[in-house]
Amino acid sequence: MKQIDMNSPEFQAELEKTWQFVEKVDKQFGFVQNPDQEINEGVAMGLARNKLIYGKRYCPCFMVIGETPEERKKADNRICPCKPALEKEIPEDGVCHCGIFCTPEYAEKKKLEETAEEAAHQHSRGLTQEEAELLVDKEQLDGDELESLMEARELGMVTFTLVDVREPMEYQMGHIKGTDELWPTSQFYEWFEKIQGRKEERFILYCHTGSRSYQVQHVMKAQGFAHVGNLSYGIVSYPGEIVRGD
């Protein structure tokens, strides 16, 4: 697997081409970018990374299946802008799965929601021991639930390993504070072999929007891992603290 240095001239040049590609797609279909620039940056970097590794701008929110070009073509991996986004996700939801392409109406609504959220103050009494123990065993968690579990873990109510399954450059751009391990899906077979002796541990996985982590969760459970949760809508849905760097 080709290693990508996000600070290299090669990557920066490809990233610039990717932004030009994004602008071209927006103009062609009448889309706009997400009001949350961090989402756009993360997706653009993922597209640039995949272009350098695989030669195509595969959707960075899904695992790229296949070791050869022929296998990847046969696997019908999503290539941006992908057919599901153009035919279903954006017409129905106003935004593609990765979040970078939006309708103008969705973007405007999102801006209003963010303004309202900034003005609001949300308070929580915290979880009881019983609630924490029940919640930590859910297979699909939303951002608020994971934030509550992170607080409960700090108080010693529950134990779990929080795992980011994105790529190292995505992790450096921003990850959930308290993340314990990084398992890049591009190195899936390498790290999956190493965790075979940990099938009784409790894991919670996350990625950008929940797709890659859901796929990893599915494989782990099929292979006998007993307790694997997933942050359904990924790091973009997490309301808690996000930190940059290693």
Side-chain angles (χ1 to χ4, degrees):
M1 178 64 64
K2 181 178 181 180
Q3 298 299 310
I4 303 298
D5 179 1
M6 62 186 293
N7 296 312
S8 68
E10 179 188 28
F11 180 79
Q12 292 301 319
E14 186 56 49
L15 183 60
E16 178 61 31
K17 292 179 183 178
T18 297
W19 282 119
Q20 293 172 3
F21 162 78
V22 169
E23 291 173 0
K24 182 179 178 180
V25 172
D26 284 339
K27 184 176 181 180
Q28 179 180 355
F29 294 99
F31 300 150
V32 296
Q33 291 181 33
N34 198 302
D36 188 337
Q37 189 56 26
E38 287 193 5
I39 290 178
N40 301 329
E41 289 176 359
V43 175
M45 292 183 73
L47 289 169
R49 178 195 71 235
N50 284 347
K51 185 67 162 62
L52 289 175
I53 293 176
Y54 304 109
K56 295 182 182 295
R57 292 190 178 95
Y58 289 114
C59 175
C61 295
F62 290 85
M63 289 178 63
V64 178
I65 306 299
E67 296 186 4
T68 66
E70 292 75 18
E71 290 175 347
R72 290 192 285 272
K73 183 177 181 179
K74 186 177 180 180
D76 196 26
N77 292 293
R78 290 192 180 200
I79 298 177
C80 188
C82 65
K83 187 175 180 180
L86 295 176
E87 295 185 355
K88 181 176 176 61
E89 294 165 0
I90 298 176
E92 293 183 4
D93 303 326
V95 61
C96 71
H97 184 87
C98 289
I100 192 170
F101 297 122
C102 311
T103 62
E105 295 79 12
Y106 174 92
E108 186 61 31
K109 181 181 178 183
K110 191 69 175 177
K111 289 178 184 177
L112 293 174
E113 289 175 352
E114 290 176 355
T115 300
E117 288 171 1
E118 289 176 2
H121 296 279
Q122 297 184 359
H123 300 280
S124 172
R125 61 173 171 76
L127 298 173
T128 65
Q129 180 78 39
E130 182 180 17
E131 289 170 338
E133 290 173 353
L134 288 172
L135 191 59
V136 78
D137 281 330
K138 282 187 64 176
E139 290 193 5
Q140 303 301 324
L141 297 160
D142 64 30
D144 290 331
E145 290 170 336
L146 179 57
E147 184 181 28
S148 295
L149 284 174
M150 297 297 284
E151 294 172 356
R153 187 173 73 165
E154 288 185 12
L155 295 172
M157 293 183 179
V158 291
T159 59
F160 59 87
T161 299
L162 182 63
V163 181
D164 187 341
V165 302
R166 300 174 302 157
E167 301 304 310
M169 69 173 62
E170 294 177 275
Y171 180 88
Q172 292 172 5
M173 284 286 294
H175 56 272
I176 294 173
K177 183 179 180 181
T179 298
D180 301 298
E181 299 183 25
L182 176 64
W183 300 348
T185 51
S186 65
Q187 301 169 30
F188 177 82
Y189 298 104
E190 297 175 27
W191 59 254
F192 192 65
E193 183 67 26
K194 296 177 182 178
I195 64 170
Q196 290 303 305
R198 303 170 63 184
K199 291 188 176 181
E200 295 304 316
E201 290 186 35
R202 181 179 283 115
F203 299 98
I204 296 178
L205 315 177
Y206 74 90
C207 63
H208 182 64
T209 57
S211 295
R212 283 172 287 179
S213 53
Y214 177 80
Q215 289 176 295
V216 173
Q217 178 194 39
H218 181 75
V219 173
M220 289 180 68
K221 291 185 72 66
Q223 293 298 314
F225 285 81
H227 309 285
V228 188
N230 176 49
L231 180 58
S232 296
Y233 298 103
I235 192 173
V236 298
S237 71
Y238 184 70
E241 186 173 355
I242 303 297
V243 294
R244 288 176 174 260
D246 297 328

